[in-house]
Each structure stands twice: as structure tokens, then as C-alpha cells.
Amino acid sequence: MNPDHISLHNKQFEPYLSAERLMAAITELAVQLNQEYANKTPLFVAVLNGSFMFAADLMKAMHIPCEISFIRVASYQGTSSTGKVQEVLGLTEDIAGRHVVVLEDIVDTGHTMKMLLDTLGAQAPASLEVATLFMKPECLQHELAIRYVGLSIPNDFIVGYGLDYDGLGRNYPDVYKAV
């Protein structure tokens, strides 16, 4: 049973999205990706740390030949984006001529995704798309064509299902929002 409220550092959070709702959104994304990438053997590039639960559950729902790799970037401090993206752990696979789908937990300002798409796009993939579990359209500061969006949400600060507040909260199966 999941708690009605959680406390992380100095903030309180209330239930927002259930694990069942998240799995329904991921299943819809998987259906789309399985259809559109049939016969293409895509490389999924999961952005750590936040996307680890999303990536794991999405991969379990993929029924086509595919690969997964991981990249780690940092752009958050506390509850807000720093606006500066630092690549921490890079991609080791050669993506030239590959169909690449970046897996992200949340796209809000778009700073991280813009940097990743520019960096990966320079490596000449056959195609480059993004699949994000959450999108905050009202926060977007870059022109990004995000093709695969699980859930569009308002500008609430959320934790759980891989998303954290200064390292805490990733372990909850549901998503909570700050009150």
C-alpha cells in the first residue's frame, strides 16, 4: 500500500498518478514503438538516473528486436533546472546509421533534450526520436518535436517512479506532486 502523503527533505507531496496509470501510458507508447520500429532494430538510449523505471517497463513491453544503452546527464539542483547540462556518462555505441530513440523520464524546459539531440544528431543516426513518460508543454523553452509522449502534465513538481527531489523519492511506484 502506498502512502497518502510523503515528506522528502523540506517538502510535502501528495498522490498524483498511480502506478496503473503510468503502466497504461507506457503500454500505449510500446504499442506505437513496436509498430513503427518493426524491422528496424532500434537502439533505445535511456537517460539516467530518472528514466530507469520507465526504460525497464518499456523494454519489457517491446516485442521487436531492439537494444538499450544508457547515458547520464545532470541539469537539476533541488526543484529547478540549472539551465546548464553536463554530460556525465557518455554513449559508447556507434549510432551512425542506427534508429535511435532517447528514453527520458520528463521533458520540461527542454535544455537537456536539446543538448542530447544536438550531440546525438551529430553522430549521423538513421533516425533520432524521443520517447518521454512526462512532458510539461508550458515549461518548454526550446522548439522540440517530441514524437512519443506518455502523459502531458502541468508544471507541478513531481517525484516517484524514478523522479527525485535531491536524490530522494525515486523508489515509489506511484507519482506524487509537491503541495
Side-chain angles (χ1 to χ4, degrees):
M1 177 177 254
N2 293 317
D4 290 336
H5 286 80
I6 57 174
S7 295
L8 302 173
H9 298 296
N10 60 341
K11 289 200 166 298
Q12 299 296 312
F13 296 85
E14 64 185 13
Y16 184 56
L17 294 164
S18 69
E20 292 79 18
R21 179 66 186 103
L22 300 175
M23 284 310 301
I26 292 166
T27 299
E28 289 175 27
L29 286 173
V31 167
Q32 214 177 348
L33 291 163
N34 277 314
Q35 289 173 353
E36 294 181 22
Y37 286 90
N39 305 314
K40 292 184 181 176
T41 313
L43 171 64
F44 292 98
V45 177
V47 181
L48 296 173
N49 288 340
S51 75
F52 78 100
M53 285 189 177
F54 169 51
D57 285 338
L58 180 70
M59 292 305 292
K60 288 185 272 186
M62 295 306 300
H63 305 298
I64 59 169
C66 59
E67 297 177 50
I68 188 167
S69 190
F70 301 89
I71 190 167
R72 186 170 181 189
V73 296
S75 65
Y76 260 76
Q77 187 168 19
T79 60
S80 59
S81 176
T82 62
K84 297 176 184 164
V85 177
Q86 304 162 320
E87 186 172 348
V88 179
L89 175 68
L91 188 64
T92 56
E93 286 83 359
D94 179 7
I95 64 169
R98 299 285 312 267
H99 295 282
V100 176
V101 180
V102 176
L103 302 180
E104 180 65 296
D105 57 348
I106 189 166
V107 175
D108 46 27
T109 64
H111 296 314
T112 300
M113 199 47 57
K114 171 119 175 60
M115 182 279 297
L116 275 177
L117 292 174
D118 289 348
T119 301
L120 296 175
Q123 297 179 41
S127 66
L128 180 60
E129 298 291 346
V130 175
T132 185
L133 181 54
F134 300 108
M135 177 107 173
K136 293 183 179 179
E138 65 191 63
C139 296
L140 206 56
Q141 298 176 16
H142 298 276
E143 289 277 334
L144 295 174
I146 308 293
R147 186 165 179 183
Y148 306 102
V149 176
L151 298 162
S152 287
I153 62 171
N155 189 21
D156 293 316
F157 185 70
I158 58 174
V159 297
Y161 198 74
L163 292 95
D164 74 307
Y165 173 35
D166 280 345
L168 297 179
R170 292 187 195 278
N171 55 302
Y172 293 99
D174 298 318
V175 170
Y176 293 78
K177 71 176 179 177
V179 292

